[in-house]
Amino acid sequence: MSADDASVRRPTLTQVAELAGVSLKTASRALNREPNVAPSTGRRVLDAADLLGYRLNGIARELRRGATSALVGLVSGDLTNPFYSAVASGIERELRQHGLLLITANNDEDAALERSLVDAFLERRVRALLVIPSGSDHEYLSIEGNRGVPFVFLDRPPDGLAADAVLIDNAGGARSAAEHLLGRGHRKIALVADLKRMAPQKGRIDGFVKAMHAAGNNEWEPYVRTDVHDVRHAEHAVQELLALDPPPTAIFTTNNRLTTGALRGMRDIREQPALVGFDDFDLADVLGTTVVAHDMTALGREAARLAHERISGHTGPARTIVISTSIIARGSGERPPR
Amino acid sequence: MSADDASVRRPTLTQVAELAGVSLKTASRALNREPNVAPSTGRRVLDAADLLGYRLNGIARELRRGATSALVGLVSGDLTNPFYSAVASGIERELRQHGLLLITANNDEDAALERSLVDAFLERRVRALLVIPSGSDHEYLSIEGNRGVPFVFLDRPPDGLAADAVLIDNAGGARSAAEHLLGRGHRKIALVADLKRMAPQKGRIDGFVKAMHAAGNNEWEPYVRTDVHDVRHAEHAVQELLALDPPPTAIFTTNNRLTTGALRGMRDIREQPALVGFDDFDLADVLGTTVVAHDMTALGREAARLAHERISGHTGPARTIVISTSIIARGSGERPPR
């Protein structure tokens, strides 16, 4: 279909209004989904537009204007991880308010796949691209950025290019988790962390280590397990840690998947160690799990807001927003050392 | 940008291949993301294409061909519900294999919003539309279906039009949950269900009731709570049920949110009633919750497969695929009556 084909028999707004038996103004309002149109009237106008094929003209008009489509892309990890789905939900709600739609794609934590997804999104003329990048090298994005498509980084800072970013206070959150456990008398505190090469993990590890140093504690050192990348490995790592002699009396896990693994690994242990996990999660209240919480939908919302500002023409320098964290004490993090 | 503007200085595939120092065939393979291209070679070809602006021609070519975009829309409830995000994940993985991308939008369980999202997707020329509909009246979709955009319904059957659908064996799953509890000697079995007007809920309620009738049991009747629509209401409903005299000895919850609410409502009860929940969920193993499980990503995958077949030209009659269920016994459903 080309713009010209459609324009040949283009029904006019007047025809739609006539068929629906409303004024031109009301027809226009109803088609633009403006408020103050009675539902039954709106329905009648939409039915009339459907009947006349008026929608097709919307596309034709868009092509004629040379407008790009009102799509915003998100490249992230798998949506079955509640962190990503909460972020996506926040983004989608914010975009919708600006008449923008969200396209999502899963990078499977693979930098090559991510690159080809970014390409695919740009080919489909997205208005902005939100990325929770898998790798640490984002220079390849800078070529695209120069083509005028704004990028916003979520959860992980851009490396090698200037772009807007919304991050979590990783170091601060980890430091308060560590201080929470130190404050209850723990010294043998295990650290179970994900891939060190990922910036949020690096921030959380640093925050934890700094708190230990500040407290003059080095008894945590035998209990560090990093590059633990999924639930199953976290479960095994925790089982292994608890089999040591002496075992750690407390555990800090640096994301929701590792906390799930730790809970599985601790399931059959009679004397449960203290546990604080980074990221809140569903049912943490039922399980009594103390967490470092942060507002994941706000993270998505803020990123979408920055993207929308860029789409609307904002051209200032790159901005970084940091989402704060707070400890939610539910029992597991308040267990004393044995 | 128009197709003509881009074609003026269109770099050829030959130029890309030359710059990358590879054969035409290899350049084409790399650009089409075909396997059997060494990563370093693929990277070189993509870099060359970037440098020459070859991507812009992809869009130009698409416009020239008059091809519609390779987007598939999903309208569902909020992705923070793990049911929807698991389904979306299954869809996205399957679509990607066919070079299709997923656009998602949240209907907020509102039929009017759903309609306008469907409109927005069709305006953006999606190749197929996957819907987990909020309402029960889908006739308005039939107008669109006639325009040649295939619809696939997920989780809820189409009403008033013929369209492909992927459903869960709701009645069968609920019946086996009921039989599981009856088999452990329970008679006073509470039913906590979501909105009756939603087809999956209706199926689950019917399956439960039929199993009770088949067992000649009517002691469940005082313990029915339907139209319980969220976690908080489920928590209250369960607290209320357990305060009755006599209380139910077992509870069947008909979806993941209600199970979460039930677990919260039971948290402070010393003698825990038996519990079986429809839908499996993260940490159900740690909590020891018996569930009626089904493969949610398979549900999404199958729906995407049906959509892709239609996009590829399949024109047979509407098909329905039913995803089977199974009980996963983890303790909560095996507690005997007090």
Side-chain angles (χ1 to χ4, degrees):
Chain A
M1 185 203 70
S2 81
D4 291 335
D5 294 352
S7 62
V8 169
R9 15 176 190 193
R10 175 157 77 114
T12 60
L13 183 62
T14 313
Q15 288 174 305
V16 173
E18 267 173 19
L19 184 62
V22 300
S23 71
L24 262 179
K25 194 163 192 169
T26 302
S28 166
R29 273 198 189 136
L31 290 169
N32 288 302
R33 308 319 188 247
E34 285 174 21
N36 302 326
V37 177
S40 63
T41 309
R43 170 71 59 112
R44 215 158 64 236
V45 172
L46 292 174
D47 285 346
D50 275 346
L51 212 59
L52 294 171
Y54 191 79
R55 173 178 306 104
L56 291 174
N57 288 288
I59 304 170
R61 205 165 48 229
E62 214 176 76
L63 285 175
R64 211 169 293 124
R65 265 198 214 141
T68 51
S69 63
L71 295 171
V72 169
L74 167 67
V75 178
S76 76
D78 195 292
L79 291 180
T80 55
N81 181 333
F83 174 73
Y84 296 126
S85 58
V87 170
S89 168
I91 294 170
E92 196 270 334
R93 281 170 188 274
E94 178 72 19
L95 290 180
R96 204 203 301 154
Q97 296 195 8
H98 305 295
L100 297 164
L101 284 172
L102 180 65
I103 328 185
T104 56
N106 171 8
N107 61 18
D108 272 342
E109 312 272 340
D110 177 305
L113 176 57
E114 179 176 298
R115 183 172 175 149
S116 87
L117 291 169
V118 166
D119 278 355
F121 277 174
L122 292 170
E123 275 177 20
R124 275 159 194 86
R125 296 174 296 160
V126 290
R127 299 285 294 276
L129 202 37
L130 310 180
V131 189
I132 308 184
S134 61
S136 53
D137 174 17
H138 313 133
E139 245 178 292
Y140 78 91
L141 294 172
S142 67
I143 304 172
E144 322 302 345
N146 290 340
R147 289 193 188 165
V149 173
F151 279 88
V152 179
F153 281 70
L154 292 90
D155 190 40
R156 300 164 200 186
D159 184 22
L161 77 160
D164 291 338
V166 186
L167 309 175
I168 296 166
D169 180 10
N170 294 304
R175 194 174 55 240
S176 53
E179 287 166 356
H180 192 82
L181 292 167
L182 288 165
R184 267 101 197 138
H186 293 279
R187 309 291 289 174
K188 295 180 175 58
I189 306 175
L191 172 69
V192 179
D194 206 324
L195 304 178
K196 277 196 304 280
R197 66 172 174 79
M198 287 155 53
Q201 291 297 309
K202 202 174 162 307
R204 292 170 200 178
I205 294 168
D206 286 354
F208 175 88
V209 171
K210 275 191 188 139
M212 292 299 141
H213 288 165
N217 179 28
N218 62 5
E219 293 181 51
W220 58 280
E221 288 170 0
Y223 306 113
V224 175
R225 299 292 181 274
T226 62
D227 295 320
V228 180
H229 192 44
D230 59 26
V231 176
R232 194 182 307 262
H233 284 100
E235 180 177 353
H236 293 158
V238 164
Q239 284 171 338
E240 209 181 86
L241 283 165
L242 296 177
L244 293 176
D245 186 17
T249 64
I251 300 172
F252 172 51
T253 46
T254 59
N255 69 29
N256 58 356
R257 309 311 289 168
L258 303 184
T259 309
T260 295
L263 287 165
R264 289 191 182 150
M266 289 162 58
R267 191 169 27 181
D268 300 323
I269 302 286
R270 192 167 310 180
E271 290 201 44
Q272 299 261 305
L275 174 68
V276 178
F278 207 107
D279 298 329
D280 199 8
F281 58 96
D282 238 21
L283 294 168
D285 57 342
V286 173
L287 286 157
T289 308
T290 296
V291 298
V292 178
H294 47 84
D295 191 338
M296 298 178 276
T297 51
L299 196 154
R301 203 169 54 234
E302 289 297 307
R305 198 176 56 71
L306 293 178
H308 178 250
E309 284 177 12
R310 294 285 178 190
I311 291 170
S312 307
H314 179 82
T315 53
R319 298 157 296 178
T320 297
I321 292 177
V322 177
I323 303 288
S324 64
T325 67
S326 62
I327 296 264
I328 303 180
R330 296 194 179 108
S332 74
E334 294 70 49
R335 293 180 197 127
R338 278 168 293 173
Chain B
M1 186 204 69
S2 81
D4 291 337
D5 295 343
S7 62
V8 168
R9 16 176 188 189
R10 175 157 77 116
T12 60
L13 184 61
T14 312
Q15 288 174 304
V16 174
E18 267 173 19
L19 185 62
V22 300
S23 71
L24 261 180
K25 193 162 192 170
T26 302
S28 166
R29 272 197 190 138
L31 290 169
N32 289 302
R33 299 338 182 237
E34 284 174 22
N36 303 326
V37 176
S40 63
T41 309
R43 169 69 58 112
R44 216 157 63 234
V45 172
L46 292 174
D47 285 347
D50 275 344
L51 212 60
L52 293 171
Y54 191 77
R55 172 178 309 104
L56 291 172
N57 290 289
I59 304 169
R61 206 167 48 228
E62 215 177 74
L63 285 174
R64 210 170 295 123
R65 266 199 214 139
T68 50
S69 64
L71 295 170
V72 169
L74 167 68
V75 178
S76 76
D78 196 292
L79 291 180
T80 55
N81 181 332
F83 173 73
Y84 296 125
S85 58
V87 170
S89 167
I91 294 170
E92 196 270 333
R93 280 169 189 274
E94 177 71 18
L95 290 180
R96 203 202 303 153
Q97 297 196 4
H98 305 294
L100 297 163
L101 283 172
L102 181 65
I103 327 185
T104 57
N106 171 8
N107 62 18
D108 272 342
E109 311 271 340
D110 177 304
L113 176 57
E114 179 176 298
R115 185 173 174 146
S116 87
L117 291 170
V118 166
D119 279 356
F121 278 174
L122 291 170
E123 276 176 20
R124 275 161 193 82
R125 297 174 295 161
V126 290
R127 300 283 296 274
L129 202 37
L130 309 180
V131 189
I132 307 184
S134 61
S136 53
D137 174 16
H138 313 134
E139 246 178 293
Y140 78 90
L141 295 172
S142 66
I143 305 171
E144 322 301 346
N146 290 341
R147 289 195 189 164
V149 173
F151 279 87
V152 179
F153 282 69
L154 291 89
D155 190 41
R156 300 164 200 185
D159 185 22
L161 77 159
D164 291 338
V166 185
L167 310 175
I168 296 166
D169 181 10
N170 294 304
R175 194 172 57 240
S176 52
E179 287 166 355
H180 192 82
L181 293 168
L182 287 164
R184 267 103 197 135
H186 293 279
R187 310 290 289 173
K188 295 181 176 57
I189 306 173
L191 172 69
V192 179
D194 206 323
L195 305 178
K196 278 197 304 279
R197 69 172 171 78
M198 286 154 53
Q201 290 298 310
K202 203 174 161 305
R204 292 170 199 178
I205 294 169
D206 287 354
F208 174 88
V209 171
K210 274 192 188 137
M212 292 300 141
H213 288 165
N217 179 28
N218 62 6
E219 293 181 52
W220 58 280
E221 287 170 1
Y223 306 112
V224 175
R225 298 294 181 273
T226 63
D227 294 320
V228 181
H229 191 45
D230 58 26
V231 175
R232 194 182 306 263
H233 284 100
E235 179 177 353
H236 293 159
V238 163
Q239 283 171 337
E240 209 180 85
L241 283 165
L242 295 178
L244 293 176
D245 186 18
T249 64
I251 300 173
F252 173 51
T253 46
T254 59
N255 68 30
N256 58 355
R257 308 311 290 167
L258 304 183
T259 308
T260 295
L263 287 165
R264 290 191 181 150
M266 289 162 58
R267 191 168 27 180
D268 301 323
I269 302 287
R270 192 166 313 179
E271 292 202 41
Q272 298 260 304
L275 174 68
V276 178
F278 207 106
D279 299 328
D280 199 6
F281 58 95
D282 238 22
L283 294 169
D285 57 341
V286 173
L287 286 157
T289 308
T290 296
V291 299
V292 178
H294 47 84
D295 191 338
M296 298 178 276
T297 50
L299 197 154
R301 202 169 55 233
E302 289 297 308
R305 197 176 56 72
L306 292 178
H308 178 249
E309 285 178 12
R310 295 284 178 192
I311 291 170
S312 308
H314 179 82
T315 54
R319 298 158 294 178
T320 297
I321 291 177
V322 177
I323 302 289
S324 64
T325 66
S326 61
I327 297 263
I328 303 180
R330 297 194 178 106
S332 75
E334 294 70 49
R335 293 180 196 127
R338 279 168 295 176

